[in-house]
Amino acid sequence: MTSTEGFEGRGVVVTGAASGIGRATAWKFAQGGAKVLVADVDRTGTEAVVGEIEAAGGTALAVVGDLSDQRVVDDVAGRAVEAFGGVDVLVNNAGIMDRMSALGETDDAEWERVIRINLTAPFLLTRAVVPHMLAAGRGSIVFTASEASLRGSTAGAAYTASKHGIVGLVKSLAVMYRGQGIRANAIAPGPTATAIRVDAAEEAHGPAVVGQLSGATMGRFGSAEEQAAAIVFLASDAASFVNGAVLPVDDAWAAV
Ligand SMILES: NC(=O)c1ccc[n+]([C@@H]2O[C@H](COP(=O)([O-])OP(=O)(O)OC[C@H]3O[C@@H](n4cnc5c(N)ncnc54)[C@H](O)[C@@H]3O)[C@@H](O)[C@H]2O)c1
């Protein structure tokens, strides 16, 4: 069985799917016959992905907007249910880097922006989708966590806290909904070639500390497709007994 088997006709929502890991994930599900809702704040990228999937014979739907806005979240959940009859798979993948600021250098704006997009937005969308999964008696939720979910040496305070928070959401979901057909898991990517960018403040000492600690140990860069393959596996029935797991996809960085 290939990892994309079993998704024929299933309704899948992928956030941050205009670029990078989300884009590769939307493609993999579409290739497996799923109907995919592509949600992203980047209109051009979102419409391009949807157009390409449709041109290849797949089914895709675009919702453009900032997922930290409750109205956009409601739109994503509502349109997925309307178009697909439900949400079989939710991939909470959209995210941003912080400025790699140490905690003492993190201002309110950096903290609130990163927590809102990386942690609150997945909470809001999952809360909107869970009732539909419970009604259907099935659903799989996969989060894109990070190496920063596992250690303190990969990003600034805000990003690290947001990605540790994702692990808390995964574990709580897995335990609270065990036995009701819903599974929740995460991948923890190591460095992956995507469009994500660090906008470090010149005076911040975080980048120097992070670079020093991680340079020799992080392994090679992965591709968005390698991350997407792990997401699809966790979402699939092949992972039916995997629940509450955070899977490093990182060329052994987490093992160092
Ligand atoms: N690339 C890496 O090395 C790496 C490592 C660990 C974790 N991650 C995580 O992977 C996930 C995907 O990132 P990527 O590397 O593919 O980067 P990317 O920048 O290529 O893709 C992220 C996508 O999220 C979208 N997005 C950002 N904020 C949004 C918002 N408020 N509402 C809707 N969409 C929004 C962006 O427009 C973009 O299309 C993120 O959660 C990131 O933290 C990436």
Side-chain angles (χ1 to χ4, degrees):
M1 173 168 154
T2 63
S3 61
T4 51
E5 275 175 28
F7 291 109
E8 190 71 41
R10 294 291 170 98
V12 176
V13 173
V14 185
T15 72
S19 174
I21 295 168
R23 182 180 187 282
T25 301
W27 262 105
K28 274 206 192 301
F29 279 114
Q31 283 163 347
K35 298 176 273 191
V36 184
L37 188 150
V38 174
D40 202 291
V41 73
D42 169 8
R43 177 173 297 280
T44 308
T46 302
E47 289 174 352
V49 173
V50 168
E52 286 159 15
I53 290 174
E54 285 176 340
T59 305
L61 176 68
V63 175
V64 177
D66 181 344
L67 288 156
S68 67
D69 179 339
Q70 180 72 58
R71 288 167 302 184
V72 175
V73 166
D74 291 341
D75 199 25
V76 170
R79 293 195 43 206
V81 171
E82 186 185 287
F84 307 154
V87 178
D88 296 294
V89 176
L90 168 61
V91 181
N92 283 305
N93 165 79
I96 55 168
M97 265 301 283
D98 60 12
R99 308 190 76 198
M100 284 214 179
S101 314
L103 190 145
E105 301 162 339
T106 303
D107 62 22
D108 289 358
E110 178 175 357
W111 176 262
E112 277 155 21
R113 188 169 117 84
V114 173
I115 295 293
R116 182 97 198 143
I117 293 175
N118 288 5
L119 184 58
T120 305
F123 156 70
L124 293 174
L125 185 55
T126 305
R127 187 175 62 180
V129 164
V130 158
H132 301 287
M133 289 183 166
L134 285 172
R138 68 167 197 235
S140 181
I141 306 167
V142 184
F143 294 78
T144 303
S146 173
E147 200 73 28
S149 300
L150 312 174
R151 59 186 76 245
S153 56
T154 72
Y159 186 86
T160 303
S162 73
K163 293 298 186 177
H164 273 67
I166 289 293
V167 174
L169 290 186
V170 166
K171 291 184 178 177
S172 178
L173 282 163
V175 172
M176 294 282 184
Y177 294 109
R178 180 163 55 175
Q180 296 177 77
I182 298 178
R183 291 184 300 110
N185 294 288
I187 60 163
T192 306
T194 68
I196 206 161
R197 290 289 168 265
V198 179
D199 172 30
E202 254 176 48
E203 66 282 11
H205 76 266
V209 176
V210 167
Q212 190 187 12
L213 287 176
S214 62
T217 56
M218 43 196 253
R220 72 166 171 87
F221 263 69
S223 69
E225 287 70 25
E226 287 174 303
Q227 301 298 344
I231 289 173
V232 170
F233 163 69
L234 288 173
S236 75
D237 289 345
S240 56
F241 201 48
V242 183
N243 196 7
V246 180
L247 177 67
V249 186
D250 67 352
D251 192 25
W253 187 3
V256 174

